Amino acid sequence: MTWRPLKKAGRDIAPRKLADSLPGVARRIGGPDGAAFVHLASTWSDIVGPAVAAHSRPLRLATGTLVIAVDQAGWVTELTYLEASLRARIDDAVGPGVVQVVKVTIRPK
């Protein structure tokens, strides 16, 4: 069988890379643009600072809730206490309203 592009309304629809389609799919099902989480994860140290980044990492972002994994219980308290300033920094990095709630969980490295 030979590959041929699909026809839709008189025009060819060629295959696209999955990475190009994911942001649109995520938005249609109520999630944020996948690029927001990738940017958040890749700039985590810049957002929270090296001391906090050494003990934490973003785990997932879905429907406005960012889950952060920390390696010790004391960091749960620390990040919960710093949530307002942390959300302001995240807003600066990925845009306002992308992260509405921050949840912190313990996950040793």
Side-chain angles (χ1 to χ4, degrees):
M1 179 181 265
T2 305
W3 176 85
R4 285 173 284 188
L6 296 173
K7 298 271 187 188
K8 182 176 180 181
R11 60 187 173 108
D12 290 341
I13 301 175
R16 297 189 305 180
K17 290 182 180 181
L18 184 59
D20 295 339
S21 299
L22 284 178
V25 171
R27 279 191 302 275
R28 281 193 293 279
I29 62 172
D33 186 335
F37 181 75
V38 171
H39 181 69
L40 183 68
S42 65
T43 59
W44 186 246
S45 184
D46 296 332
I47 294 168
V48 299
V52 174
H55 297 279
S56 67
R57 67 189 187 281
L59 199 56
R60 67 180 165 272
L61 174 61
T63 60
T65 301
L66 173 64
V67 178
I68 301 171
V70 296
D71 59 1
Q72 298 172 10
W75 286 102
V76 174
T77 303
E78 184 71 20
L79 291 182
T80 301
Y81 177 74
L82 295 173
E83 181 178 352
S85 64
L86 181 60
R87 283 183 42 210
R89 291 179 186 177
I90 291 170
D91 283 352
D92 289 343
V94 297
V98 173
V99 174
Q100 300 165 3
V101 177
V102 174
K103 293 186 178 181
V104 185
T105 185
I106 301 172
R107 294 238 175 130
K109 291 182 180 180

